[in-house]
Amino acid sequence: MRVEIWSDIACPWCYVGKARFDKALRDFPHRAEVEVVHRSFELDPGRAKDDVQPVIDMLTRKYGMSPAQAEAGEDNLGAQAAAEGLDYRTRGRDHGSTFDMHRLLHLAKEHGRQERLLDLLYRANFAEERSVFDDDERLVELAVAAGLAEETVRAVLADPRAYADEVRADEREAAQLGATGVPFFVLDRKYGVSGAQPVEVFTRALTQAYGERAPLRIVDDGGTAGAEACGPDGCAVPQR
């Protein structure tokens, strides 16, 4: 069974939602049969790389909040994160383009390090003081810590076309599936779960999707023996 998760590193509910989903998946009895794939979704697509601003300022300008409302929202998110065992800095964080991070996540996917890099990016953005937006060296450090080769990481960051098509393809697919926000979870392309739902909701979704998988149906010519094939004991050779 495949679970695809559309998310953005700048999205606090994606940070919390992943933790809740991970808890449900950890206790899911068929965990070994579940493949998790992370997909790209930018909350601010097209945002300039050098357009970095404090989170509180971004919230007041983008959503028309007062500074007090923005701070209260961050406090609430901090409490939600803490309930999942996550660290969360409610003050002093900044906000910017996540396009390069998504490109690196596609690189990491090719090397089997996507999950590790995503976790490091989330923690760096929401829990650590050093920004992930204003210095490529920070991204290099995180990608190397995830197990990627430094030279390869630098080459991707230096070439804005590298993995750009893969990021845009994920975003187009999200739109086709009807996702207007993240996190957005798709189970076997049959069920969608929107938002940072409670652990119990993810558990029910996993159980239902797994239980409704259709068994494999064999198509042949109606005979009982089937056509010739190769197996562990070798290949059957027709006798003349």
Side-chain angles (χ1 to χ4, degrees):
M1 184 170 74
R2 170 179 282 200
V3 178
E4 297 163 279
I5 306 173
W6 273 264
S7 59
D8 191 12
I9 301 91
C11 166
W13 288 118
C14 295
Y15 180 47
V16 172
K18 183 179 185 300
R20 292 174 178 171
F21 173 80
D22 286 348
K23 288 180 180 178
L25 186 60
R26 180 192 63 204
D27 297 330
F28 186 56
H30 307 288
R31 167 67 185 91
E33 300 175 59
V34 179
E35 175 193 11
V36 178
V37 178
H38 295 279
R39 303 290 193 189
S40 298
F41 190 106
E42 295 171 275
L43 293 175
D44 276 335
R47 189 184 185 100
K49 185 177 176 69
D50 61 355
D51 184 5
V52 180
Q53 64 183 141
V55 166
I56 298 300
D57 291 351
M58 180 274 293
L59 292 172
T60 59
R61 294 173 184 175
K62 186 173 183 177
Y63 300 108
M65 297 180 178
S66 69
Q69 288 173 322
E71 290 176 354
E74 284 293 285
D75 290 340
N76 176 57
L77 281 163
Q80 297 274 354
E84 304 304 329
L86 301 172
D87 293 327
Y88 190 100
R89 295 178 64 231
T90 60
R91 301 291 185 273
R93 292 191 304 107
D94 57 8
H95 177 82
S97 171
T98 56
F99 185 59
D100 284 350
M101 298 179 217
H102 285 294
R103 296 195 300 117
L104 289 178
L105 284 166
H106 277 280
L107 168 67
K109 179 183 175 184
E110 290 185 351
H111 295 273
R113 309 303 296 171
Q114 187 186 49
E115 183 92 10
R116 175 60 175 158
L117 179 56
L118 183 60
D119 285 339
L120 289 174
L121 288 169
Y122 274 142
R123 178 168 180 82
N125 182 40
F126 291 107
E128 299 175 359
E129 291 189 15
R130 187 175 171 190
S131 174
V132 294
F133 298 106
D134 63 359
D135 184 4
D136 279 354
E137 289 304 309
R138 182 62 171 142
L139 297 183
V140 172
E141 290 175 8
L142 293 168
V144 170
L148 299 177
E150 180 177 342
E151 181 179 350
T152 304
V153 173
R154 291 189 183 279
V156 169
L157 289 174
D159 180 4
R161 299 169 298 177
Y163 298 99
D165 289 344
E166 287 82 349
V167 174
R168 298 308 183 210
D170 277 358
E171 293 173 339
R172 286 194 301 270
E173 196 163 13
Q176 291 167 0
L177 290 170
T180 58
V182 285
F184 188 68
F185 303 77
V186 177
L187 292 78
D188 262 357
R189 291 297 171 109
K190 292 178 62 178
Y191 295 98
V193 178
S194 181
Q197 298 286 347
V199 174
E200 295 77 13
V201 173
F202 289 122
T203 297
R204 287 200 303 271
L206 287 166
T207 301
Q208 184 169 351
Y210 185 86
E212 293 186 8
R213 292 185 307 157
L216 185 67
R217 299 180 64 183
I218 303 299
V219 178
D220 59 23
D221 62 0
T224 58
E228 294 80 5
C230 294
D233 298 326
C235 300
V237 179
Q239 300 298 312
R240 292 178 180 275

